[in-house]
Amino acid sequence: MSQLQIVFDGESLITPQSIATEFTSSRSEFYDEQFATGKAELALILQIAQQQFAQELDPKKIIHRLAGALHETRAKFHPSVWQELIPIAQNHPVSDFFLQDPFTRWSFEKPRGYSGDAQLLDFIYGHPSVAGEIAKASPVGKALYDYTKDASSSVAVRERRDLLTQHVDQIAAERGGEAEVLTIAAGHLREANRSVALKEGRIKRWVALDQDPFSVGSITRDFRGTSVEAIDGSVRGILTRAHKLGKFDFVYAAGLYDYLPHNVAVKLTRRCLQMLKPNGVFLFANFATDIGVDGYMETFMNWALLLRSQSDMWRIVNESVDGSNFETHVTFGENRNVVYATVQKRA
């Protein structure tokens, strides 16, 4: 797999350092005891998985058992202990089996230089652009991919895409062809592929902003001749008003807040609300705190997210809005792996 690294030279506030800082926590009084116990439990979990692969058992059953065990281990121990257990899992010989899954391998290796890139999401969507990687996978890898692409977190991502499409089409219908939409951290903008309003030319302007030049290029190519305008831009650019974007009927950031520390999330939310027209809506989403595959994601996929509860989302909303000027809602998605916040500006 080619390693086309993207260097974020300070334009982005989403850096490996910022994410690492969020996961840093002081060691508890019983750290040494907990770490010894956790290390022993993890060793047993990994050994069982390795033995099952050697016995050529069903890979989907192996990963299902392991993902559940890692989830329980992650929840059991202090965050400082869990952070020390992650590299132990990643360096265990059993990782060679899990990395045969093209989805897991892409996430772990990060060919674009960062977590959660648009091509990674295409593995979840089953997009034709990843068909070659899947075809090259070993039989074990294909079986593991059949599991990871339908894990609860993956189902939630596909649900999120379809929900965004519904929001866009609903707002386009309400605005009578004059709707203006802004997507922040747009990725490949796959939700636009399903938009009836876009297909029928009922969206006046759809600005898709992303800091990854590969994503910007993909959007430019795929939506040429439509109202979609791809812009190379970052969170920092939005906060510093470097991008002269105007006002919008719908602004959303679907996968971005998973990587934003609380203070940056509040600043971005406030700025997005300033870009709303009267009756405009801002939506942001975040993976919820009780994802069943969180342990697997953080170990073998090397994919760390800032998970948030409903109360965490309300904190962001409440610190960002003037309650008299906005109507606010926080709700879970259908499978409760993603939590959504919507803020509508009053006319």
Side-chain angles (χ1 to χ4, degrees):
M1 187 179 296
S2 61
Q3 298 289 311
L4 299 175
Q5 295 291 325
I6 296 171
V7 178
F8 298 128
D9 56 1
E11 268 302 295
S12 173
L13 292 177
I14 311 168
T15 64
Q17 292 77 18
S18 70
I19 296 296
T21 298
E22 288 298 304
F23 286 105
T24 300
S25 59
S26 59
R27 293 183 175 184
S28 68
E29 180 182 354
F30 304 103
Y31 171 84
D32 291 338
E33 179 183 340
Q34 280 203 6
F35 179 68
T37 303
K39 187 176 179 181
E41 289 190 13
L42 179 64
L44 181 60
I45 292 168
L46 301 177
Q47 181 183 9
I48 291 173
Q50 188 174 18
Q51 291 173 345
Q52 290 177 333
F53 277 119
Q55 295 166 3
E56 298 185 350
L57 301 183
D58 183 354
K60 287 186 283 188
K61 292 182 179 179
I62 298 173
I63 190 174
H64 180 70
R65 184 204 65 81
L66 173 126
L70 290 177
H71 174 67
E72 292 177 1
T73 301
R74 182 185 185 276
K76 184 186 302 183
F77 294 103
H78 189 272
S80 63
V81 173
W82 173 248
Q83 289 303 309
E84 294 297 327
L85 295 178
I86 288 174
I88 295 175
Q90 292 174 339
N91 291 313
H92 192 278
V94 77
S95 65
D96 292 340
F97 290 98
F98 293 113
L99 291 176
Q100 292 180 45
D101 167 21
F103 178 25
T104 297
R105 187 176 71 252
W106 185 280
S107 179
F108 186 86
E109 295 181 347
K110 304 186 188 339
R112 293 194 181 183
Y114 64 101
S115 294
D117 65 78
Q119 195 71 18
L120 179 71
L121 297 185
D122 280 345
F123 281 102
I124 295 175
Y125 298 145
H127 192 269
S129 64
V130 300
E133 294 291 334
I134 297 169
K136 291 188 300 183
S138 67
V140 168
K142 288 186 174 73
L144 291 171
Y145 175 65
D146 282 343
Y147 180 89
T148 55
K149 73 177 176 62
D150 286 329
S152 59
S153 56
S154 297
V155 171
V157 169
R158 291 193 291 270
E159 176 190 297
R160 184 181 69 188
R161 173 201 59 194
D162 295 342
L163 183 66
L164 295 172
T165 302
Q166 293 169 18
H167 274 285
V168 169
D169 284 356
Q170 179 181 344
I171 288 174
E174 293 171 354
R175 302 302 192 271
E178 294 298 311
E180 297 184 83
V181 178
L182 169 62
T183 307
I184 302 172
H188 290 159
L189 202 69
R190 297 302 184 203
E191 58 270 21
N193 295 122
R194 297 178 168 226
S195 170
V196 175
L198 180 66
K199 184 178 180 180
E200 295 179 351
R202 292 188 286 107
I203 297 177
K204 180 179 179 180
R205 184 171 67 121
W206 191 335
V207 176
L209 183 143
D210 203 283
Q211 62 184 358
D212 185 335
F214 291 104
S215 293
V216 174
S218 173
I219 295 171
T220 300
R221 180 192 67 238
D222 293 346
F223 295 100
R224 183 173 288 111
T226 72
S227 59
V228 173
E229 176 188 359
I231 293 180
D232 186 356
S234 65
V235 172
R236 187 182 297 277
I238 293 174
L239 295 180
T240 60
R241 303 173 189 265
H243 312 300
K244 308 303 180 184
L245 302 174
K247 300 280 188 176
F248 298 90
D249 300 284
F250 185 38
V251 178
Y252 68 90
L256 176 61
Y257 279 64
D258 297 307
Y259 307 96
L260 295 183
H262 177 79
N263 63 327
V264 178
V266 170
K267 290 177 182 178
L268 179 62
T269 302
R270 289 173 178 169
R271 178 67 189 117
C272 288
L273 297 180
Q274 293 171 353
M275 293 191 287
L276 292 179
K277 298 178 185 178
N279 290 320
V281 176
F282 175 53
L283 178 150
F284 64 96
N286 212 109
F287 271 110
T289 49
D290 193 28
I291 304 176
V293 291
D294 50 5
Y296 182 84
M297 292 172 69
E298 292 177 4
T299 53
F300 296 106
M301 300 188 84
N302 196 27
W303 189 2
L305 300 169
L306 300 179
L307 306 178
R308 287 189 165 99
S309 64
Q310 267 189 304
S311 61
D312 293 330
M313 297 291 274
W314 273 119
R315 277 186 63 212
I316 296 172
V317 171
N318 291 334
E319 291 179 28
S320 303
V321 306
D322 176 351
S324 63
N325 292 329
F326 297 94
E327 182 178 338
T328 59
H329 300 277
V330 174
T331 58
F332 281 105
E334 185 173 343
N335 78 347
R336 301 186 70 81
N337 273 223
V338 172
V339 59
Y340 298 88
T342 55
V343 184
Q344 183 167 18
K345 185 177 183 178
R346 300 186 193 279

